[in-house]
Each structure stands twice: as structure tokens, then as C-alpha cells.
Amino acid sequence: MTAETDIPSTATRGRFITFEGGEGSGKSTQIRLLAERLDVEGVRAIVTREPGGSPGAEIIRHVLLSGVGKMLGAEAETLLFIAARDDHVRNVIEPALAQNIWVLCDRFADSTRVYQGHAGKVDLQLLDAMERVTIGALKPDLTLLLDVPVDIGMQRASGRRGADTPDRFEAENVDYHRKLRDGYLAIARREPERCILIDATKTPDNVANDIWAALVQRGLVVRQPETQRS
Ligand code: T5A
């Protein structure tokens, strides 16, 4: 659990950047590209993911993506995501931020809100309460919402998966995936100060440039003059 008073000022803390979006929107690709670019700029950063990211949470990830969590019912499955997040926040995210290391996280609390709440029908007030217990005052400095039409995302996810069986969420129907996209777009409209919507239909390099521009726009990095970059 995270207490508000535990969080030092942003001057001594790393930045917390989350990547969100539907299946196959390109989060893993972009998080890798951003980590590489930050490394070039001399920014210390770790890449992590949810569900998972810490040893305990990775075990829960296996239970969730195998579909075993679904058999427990929607609320119990949600509790597993929350338990995994609690472990991840306490053991990985908070310690890194406190050491002035940036955390680039592939999915975070918005995923629960959208997958379990908006598309999965778990009560949003219940999710609010669980969020307060798990993440407290921890809020991303920036959330990049990678937006692609559902058919493009599903095609990409299927191409990447090859002959493997779709996981618990990839196997949901198109209507569910449309609700996910609507849910993310609603979050982007509701929290423009935290979220930036990224058109993820572009080529990976162009999406990466838009993401870098978003960081510059929010004052998280400074754009170097061309002469200093070469
Ligand atoms: N979940 C998670 C919940 O329900 N609640 C929660 O609270 C949380 C935290 C996690 C699942 O758990 C659910 C959501 C998820 O269903 P996961 O395996 O981590 O599962 O899967 P995803 O996060 O959905 O990640 P994916 O791997 O499916 O998609 P990505 O990371 O968005 O996409 P990426 O980068 O792997 O790219 C997919 C394919 O597209 C290509 C890539 O090369 C790859 O082949 N690609 C592009 N092609 C063309 N143009 C581009 N711009 C491209 N970018 C990538």
C-alpha cells in the first residue's frame, strides 16, 4: 500500500510513464523504443509491465492470462489484478521512482478500469476503492494512450501470436474490444492533463516520434538542438 506522505517531491523522483491501449496497439514496441531513446539522452529508466513486473505479480499474471482467474468470477479476477499491482508497486515501481529512476510501465490502473470496469462490468466505485488501497496517491506523470481501430489491433496481435492460442483477453469478442477502445477514449477526454492520445496506426518510427514530441510538450524531456544530437 502507498501512503501519500511516502512520496518525495518530483525533483528527486523518477518519472512514471504508463502505456495503455487495446490488444496489438503497439505498447511493447513503443516502450522499447522510448527506453532506447531515453538511454541515449542519459535518463535512467526501467521497463516493466502489468499484470506482472515483480516475481510475485508474474505468478499471478500466469493465472490471469491462462484463464484460470476468469473461472473465479469477474470480481475475484479483478482482485487478482489488484493483488499483482500491489506487489509490483511496492517492490518495483516505488523503489525505482524513489531512486530517481524513470519507470516505463506497459499497462497500469487504466487497464483495470477499462478491461474489468468499462468492458467487464465490474462496479466502477468498487474499482475506485481498490485503487485507493493499492496505489494510493501514486499517479502516472504521463499516460500514453495508443489508439488503433479494433480490427487493426486484432490483426497485429494475431500476427504476433502466430500459431499460439489467444490468451484470456485476446479471445474475447469484437464487441468487447470495441468497448475497450471506447473506454480508453473516454479516459483521454476525462483526464487530458495526464493522458495523451497517440495515433498508433502510423509506422513504429512515426509513433515513436509522436511519443517523444508528447514528452517534450509535457516538459518531461528537453528537445536537443539538431547539432547537439548528432
Ligand atoms: N489486463 C491487464 C486487464 O484485463 N486488466 C489489467 O488491469 C491489466 C494490467 C495483458 C492482458 O491483461 C489484460 C490486458 C491484456 O489483455 P499482454 O500479453 O501483456 O496481456 O498483452 P497486451 O498488453 O495486450 O500486449 P500485446 O502484446 O497484445 O500488444 P502491444 O504490446 O500493444 O503490441 P506489440 O508492440 O506487441 O505489437 C503487436 C504486433 O504489432 C506489430 C508488432 O511488431 C507486433 O507484431 N506492431 C506494428 N505493426 C505495424 N505498425 C505499428 N506501428 C506497429 N507497432 C507494433
Side-chain angles (χ1 to χ4, degrees):
M1 197 191 305
T2 311
E4 192 157 1
T5 48
D6 290 337
I7 299 178
S9 79
T10 51
T12 57
R13 268 172 75 81
R15 300 297 193 166
F16 182 32
I17 301 183
T18 57
F19 286 68
E20 294 280 0
E23 308 296 310
S25 53
K27 299 175 304 303
S28 311
T29 304
Q30 291 304 323
I31 216 165
R32 180 178 51 76
L33 293 174
L34 180 59
E36 287 170 7
R37 193 151 182 182
L38 287 171
D39 187 47
V40 170
E41 301 288 334
V43 175
R44 287 172 73 203
I46 58 164
V47 170
T48 188
R49 68 175 180 185
E50 290 207 349
S54 60
E58 286 291 328
I59 293 170
I60 300 176
R61 175 187 174 92
H62 180 69
V63 173
L64 284 163
L65 296 193
S66 67
V68 172
K70 183 180 183 182
M71 294 192 285
L72 304 174
E75 276 78 18
E77 184 183 43
T78 303
L79 285 170
L80 289 175
F81 278 107
I82 299 296
R85 180 161 304 129
D86 190 57
D87 193 63
H88 187 211
V89 166
R90 279 185 295 114
N91 292 308
V92 175
I93 298 178
E94 277 294 355
L97 295 175
Q99 290 173 66
N100 201 13
I101 296 170
W102 288 35
V103 175
L104 311 182
C105 191
D106 194 338
R107 298 193 179 280
F108 193 60
D110 293 318
S111 284
T112 314
R113 199 148 273 284
V114 168
Y115 278 74
Q116 280 64 54
H118 198 85
K121 306 257 184 317
V122 175
D123 183 68
L124 288 175
Q125 285 183 335
L126 179 62
L127 293 181
D128 279 344
M130 290 181 186
E131 232 176 68
R132 277 197 300 278
V133 171
T134 325
I135 63 178
L138 176 67
K139 195 173 156 188
D141 294 290
L142 176 66
T143 296
L144 298 155
L145 293 171
L146 272 54
D147 181 53
V148 288
V150 168
D151 55 335
I152 295 179
M154 304 278 279
Q155 270 168 26
R156 286 185 191 169
S158 144
R160 188 216 43 218
R161 190 170 64 238
D164 290 349
T165 314
D167 71 28
R168 147 81 178 96
F169 294 98
E170 288 167 348
E172 289 284 350
N173 64 28
V174 174
D175 189 44
Y176 181 88
H177 290 282
R178 288 209 183 99
K179 284 184 186 149
L180 296 178
R181 189 179 188 206
D182 291 346
Y184 277 123
L185 294 175
I187 288 175
R189 281 193 299 274
R190 205 167 53 236
E191 295 187 61
E193 70 294 340
R194 173 173 68 88
C195 303
I196 293 188
L197 196 63
I198 301 286
D199 175 1
T201 61
K202 299 179 182 177
T203 65
D205 281 349
N206 284 337
V207 176
N209 285 338
D210 288 351
I211 286 175
W212 191 257
L215 266 68
V216 171
Q217 185 205 325
R218 293 297 164 101
L220 297 176
V221 291
V222 179
R223 191 189 297 279
Q224 299 289 333
E226 289 298 327
T227 48
Q228 287 184 24
R229 261 193 274 148
S230 54

